[in-house]
Amino acid sequence: MASTAFSLSLPTFPSSSSTVKAKPSIFSHHLLFIAKNVPSSSLFSSSTRTTKQIRTAFKIKCSSASFSNTLPSALLFDCDGVLVDTEKDGHRVSFNDTFNEKELGVTWDVDLYGELLKIGGGKERMTAYFNKTGWPDKAPKSEEERKEFIASLHKRKTELFMALIENRLLPLRPGVAELIDQALGEGVKVAVCSTSNEKAVSAVVSCLLGPERAEKIQIFAGDVVPRKKPDPAIYTLAANTLGVEPSSCVVVEDSAIGLAAAKAAGMTCIVTKSGYTADEDFLNADAVFDCIGDPPEERFDLAFCGSLLEKQMEEGSGRFY
């Protein structure tokens, strides 16, 4: 049962905005900015420079493009893969340690866990896996007892994961603390919206961001909504609870299911790729980066988030990638 081939067919949720290609005026505007800020030798060293290369050069310089006075009403972060790259060496390890403690004869290797991440939520992930590959001999037979069995496994997994966080064995990703400080300093509401267990998310926020930041950050996590990402429920709940319009929110996500949830909620979404999501399809994202980045390697800042909202207002459904 250890590394059984595993593939999934997942539901998709439509974006609240139509997928219209960016208007020429938008892209021309960004090309003008690049021309002013990136040496021509680095952009146009050959006559065959591709659009992808031009966009890459723009991303490198985009934090300097913070010319907008618009700010988001709320900045909403996913947790795993966004605040901390937790999946491979955090959650996966904690799942495996739990399976080993319970002598279930199950191990999730790196590739298998990457496939399982297409399912939002740890309890849902285990249930789907066992339904697909067969339940362990030690698992109960009835559906209700199996729910309790999964819940007990997940509780222990969360305890092991929290120990990793509390011992600071997993660091914040570059730029996270800086961007949150910018938002809080400008009065922008900050929340973390995750499918992970609320205790695990709270541990990440309090231990790694510190108590002073944590008391200003609202957490929406775990079973606070009945349907997990890619369903938009958690982002819709966050907007309603914070008292802000979805269209005024900027989400920072790292996965395709998180992006789908944010866009279906009617929000602007920036993707910061993580170890497991580098090759996923982010065509519908408003911007894509490898990370947020700390100065002097900052990829984007709060004002850039505002500039995306401003462009949404000015250009309707136009976006750049």
Side-chain angles (χ1 to χ4, degrees):
M1 191 183 296
S3 298
T4 307
F6 193 90
S7 61
L8 298 164
S9 297
L10 299 173
T12 57
F13 292 83
S15 169
S16 61
S17 59
S18 59
T19 55
V20 179
K21 292 183 178 180
K23 298 180 182 179
S25 59
I26 300 174
F27 195 53
S28 299
H29 176 75
H30 295 314
L31 288 178
L32 177 61
F33 170 75
I34 294 169
K36 291 179 179 179
N37 290 276
V38 182
S40 59
S41 59
S42 68
L43 267 179
F44 303 108
S45 56
S46 75
S47 60
T48 58
R49 183 68 68 177
T50 66
T51 299
K52 182 177 180 180
Q53 289 169 311
I54 293 172
R55 285 168 173 165
T56 300
F58 171 71
K59 291 174 187 177
I60 293 172
K61 297 297 293 184
C62 75
S63 64
S64 302
S66 302
F67 40 75
S68 169
N69 291 322
T70 301
L71 291 177
S73 296
L75 194 58
L76 310 179
F77 293 86
D78 178 39
C79 181
D80 301 305
V82 173
L83 301 184
V84 188
D85 207 345
T86 54
E87 297 294 6
K88 181 170 72 73
D89 298 320
H91 289 294
R92 185 184 69 89
V93 170
S94 300
F95 275 117
N96 284 336
D97 286 346
T98 300
F99 298 152
N100 185 56
E101 281 185 3
K102 303 298 183 181
E103 298 180 339
L104 300 184
V106 174
T107 301
W108 287 351
D109 64 26
V110 172
D111 291 338
L112 172 59
Y113 192 67
E115 190 70 22
L116 288 167
L117 284 175
K118 294 176 182 177
I119 303 169
K123 292 192 290 291
E124 292 80 0
R125 206 167 292 149
M126 286 188 285
T127 300
Y129 175 78
F130 292 139
N131 282 340
K132 181 80 172 182
T133 64
W135 286 77
D137 292 338
K138 292 188 175 184
K141 304 304 179 185
S142 74
E143 183 176 348
E144 195 59 37
E145 287 177 322
R146 283 179 172 177
K147 286 182 180 179
E148 294 176 2
F149 175 71
I150 289 293
S152 68
L153 292 179
H154 195 259
K155 179 181 178 182
R156 179 56 180 156
K157 172 260 168 187
T158 299
E159 292 170 350
L160 294 173
F161 175 78
M162 287 175 64
L164 291 176
I165 296 300
E166 289 166 359
N167 289 318
R168 290 171 170 76
L169 297 177
L170 298 171
L172 286 172
R173 292 192 70 193
V176 167
E178 176 75 15
L179 182 57
I180 288 175
D181 286 344
Q182 290 177 12
L184 294 176
E186 292 291 340
V188 175
K189 296 177 180 179
V190 177
V192 177
C193 302
S194 173
T195 60
S196 290
N197 179 277
E198 191 274 337
K199 289 183 179 178
V201 177
S202 294
V204 169
V205 173
S206 60
C207 293
L208 301 185
L209 285 170
E212 187 174 339
R213 293 188 186 100
E215 66 181 13
K216 302 172 185 175
I217 298 173
Q218 192 149 348
I219 293 172
F220 302 89
D223 297 324
V224 69
V225 289
R227 297 178 303 280
K228 309 256 176 105
K229 301 173 187 176
D231 192 279
I234 197 161
Y235 285 121
T236 301
L237 174 65
N240 289 340
T241 303
L242 295 173
V244 297
E245 289 295 325
S247 60
S248 70
C249 297
V250 173
V251 174
V252 184
E253 272 283 357
D254 76 305
S255 68
I257 65 170
L259 168 62
K263 298 306 288 183
M267 297 178 179
T268 294
C269 186
I270 300 172
V271 168
T272 58
K273 296 180 180 180
S274 63
Y276 269 119
T277 67
D279 297 324
E280 292 186 10
D281 180 5
F282 299 122
L283 184 62
N284 202 31
D286 295 281
V288 178
F289 300 94
D290 57 347
C291 66
I292 299 170
D294 289 309
E297 300 297 326
E298 186 179 62
R299 309 301 195 272
F300 67 94
D301 58 11
L302 182 66
F304 175 76
C305 297
S307 74
L308 291 180
L309 292 178
E310 192 167 277
K311 290 178 180 63
Q312 292 284 359
M313 291 185 287
E314 291 176 351
E315 304 290 347
S317 60
R319 65 184 186 279
F320 70 93
Y321 181 84

